[in-house]
Amino acid sequence: MAEVERALDAALAPQAPAALGLAMRYAVLDGGKRLRPLLVWAAAEAAAGAPAAALASATHTAVLRAACAVELIHAYSLVHDDLPCMDNDVLRRGKPTVHVQYGEATALLAGDALQVLAFELLLEQPDAALGAALALQLARAAGHLGMAGGQAIDLASVGRRLSLAELEDMHRRKTGALLLASVQMGALAGGADAAALAALTRYGQALGLAFQVIDDVLDVVADSGILGKTAGKDAAADKPTFVSLMGLNGARQYAHDLLAQAHAALHERPVAAAQTLHDLADWVLHRSH
């Protein structure tokens, strides 16, 4: 995490014009769980069968750039999701949202610039073929088939009661796609073979959905100070959630079942050096924010 923080700090230039750089840094630095970069690193370790410190220099560079890129895409999505035209939220990571701090126009541009910077990092590396493959993976996760498409479904579902299949589809796109891409990008950068990639993909799919289920639970049971964002906003906005569909205990049990699937995926085809992936899955289940 410390290495990712240093790399993000170096990539985010404060001298961008008209406070744009300051808004970008505000959106990314000094906050966030960094789960997605950690998944990149952990999946790369599992794919390579070695700890991060033992990775070859070129592999290390590719993994670090991938880790930063997914965090930049995540940060951009939060900036845009918080805008008045989307979720209209005023609190993120325990501080005012970017549009509250810098204005809507600057927030919109900051999100745009963060998205572009993510792909710049991936494509500016010695292994051009790997950079292109990583960029394609990230683009698919962030675009209309993934995160953006999921957000569109979310906005269109306010006031509706979705089936479990519909709710899963929305969140596999909106939240799960980027978490899955984090795992897949780490695996790709770490040189995973086809069997390991398939196992890690199953892990990422289960983890991505479990994260959202727990998010829905926390929206009900946590307070804003601990959560770092406005608690109870889903119910207030009449959005369909796993809690509204399954009840609080049902949602918690479903998260347990999904995390069991994630753990099992790493055992079905034993993945070497996968302990950190196991630990991250457990953290997702027991997190408080």
Side-chain angles (χ1 to χ4, degrees):
M1 287 179 70
E3 188 169 10
V4 169
E5 292 302 314
R6 289 192 296 269
L8 288 170
D9 181 69
L12 291 161
Q15 67 269 24
L20 178 59
L22 297 177
M24 292 168 67
R25 292 174 66 84
Y26 183 86
V28 177
L29 302 178
D30 303 321
K33 295 174 282 294
R34 305 301 192 232
L35 174 61
R36 290 151 191 83
L38 287 171
L39 285 170
V40 173
W41 279 109
E45 288 183 340
L55 296 177
S57 177
T59 300
H60 186 278
T61 297
V63 174
L64 179 58
R65 285 176 175 268
C68 290
V70 295
E71 187 64 18
L72 291 172
I73 290 291
H74 176 55
Y76 122 74
S77 74
L78 298 182
V79 174
H80 281 193
D81 283 359
D82 289 337
L83 287 169
C85 63
M86 295 283 190
D87 291 347
N88 193 23
D89 216 332
V90 298
L91 186 67
R92 174 69 67 178
R93 294 176 171 174
K95 60 185 182 181
T97 48
V98 178
H99 73 271
V100 171
Q101 191 76 9
Y102 289 94
E104 290 181 38
T106 298
L108 182 66
L109 290 172
D112 292 342
L114 290 171
Q115 182 177 194
V116 173
L117 180 59
F119 291 101
E120 183 179 334
L121 287 180
L122 291 177
L123 295 169
E124 267 192 352
Q125 58 181 316
D127 189 338
L130 177 58
L134 292 170
L136 179 60
Q137 194 89 55
L138 186 57
R140 286 174 172 163
H144 68 284
L145 295 176
M147 188 173 64
Q151 176 70 355
I153 296 171
D154 188 35
L155 293 170
S157 299
V158 173
R160 294 181 55 212
R161 181 175 177 84
L162 300 183
S163 68
L164 178 58
E166 290 172 324
L167 194 59
E168 286 179 338
D169 177 65
M170 177 174 76
H171 286 305
R172 286 192 189 280
R173 297 170 188 268
K174 182 184 176 183
T175 303
L178 191 58
L179 288 162
L180 173 58
S182 301
V183 174
Q184 292 175 323
M185 290 168 69
L188 188 62
D193 61 25
L197 180 59
L200 290 168
T201 295
R202 291 193 297 274
Y203 167 89
Q205 289 169 333
L207 181 84
L209 196 54
F211 184 91
Q212 182 59 51
V213 177
I214 293 297
D215 221 43
D216 286 357
V217 169
L218 291 175
D219 189 66
V220 174
V221 303
D223 64 59
S224 298
I226 295 173
L227 202 55
K229 58 184 178 180
T230 307
K233 66 176 184 177
D234 289 337
D238 198 19
K239 286 189 173 185
T241 69
F242 287 101
V243 173
S244 67
L245 181 65
M246 311 173 84
L248 191 58
N249 290 334
R252 283 174 166 153
Q253 184 57 55
Y254 188 40
H256 275 276
D257 294 343
L258 287 166
L259 266 300
Q261 293 175 29
H263 285 301
L266 300 177
H267 291 297
E268 289 169 11
R269 190 277 187 186
V271 178
Q275 186 57 50
T276 304
L277 289 174
H278 284 293
D279 292 343
L280 287 171
D282 289 337
W283 177 85
V284 164
L285 184 65
H286 299 294
R287 68 193 176 97
S288 61
H289 63 289

